[in-house]
Amino acid sequence: MAFAAYNVSKDAGTEKRVKRVIGFILFWIAVGMLLMLLLPNILIRLIVMVIFLVLGYQLFCC
C-alpha cells in the first residue's frame, strides 16, 4: 500500500522530499502529544489545541 502523495513521481529526489515532510509531520505530532501529557488541565489543553490549529492553518494556507 502506498500513499497517493508518495507516488507523484518516480524521481528519487521527490521521494526523498516526501519522506522528509512525512517525517517532519510525524515528529511534530509526537511533540504535540507529549505536550498534552504535560499540561495539567483539560481547559488549558483545549485552548492550546485551538491556538495551534488556527496557527497551523494560517501558516499552511497563507
Side-chain angles (χ1 to χ4, degrees), residues 7 31 34 60:
N7 290 327
V31 169
L34 180 63
F60 183 75

Side-chain angles (χ1 to χ4, degrees), residues 13-29:
T14 302
E15 284 185 24
K16 187 173 182 179
R17 280 180 279 178
V18 171
K19 284 182 182 179
R20 290 187 72 185
V21 168
I22 292 172
F24 186 74
I25 291 167
L26 290 174
F27 173 78
W28 285 109
I29 288 173

Side-chain angles (χ1 to χ4, degrees), residues 35-49:
L35 180 64
M36 289 299 120
L37 282 173
L38 299 176
L39 290 176
N41 191 345
I42 288 263
L43 182 61
I44 294 172
R45 291 178 186 181
L46 185 62
I47 291 170
V48 168
M49 282 190 286

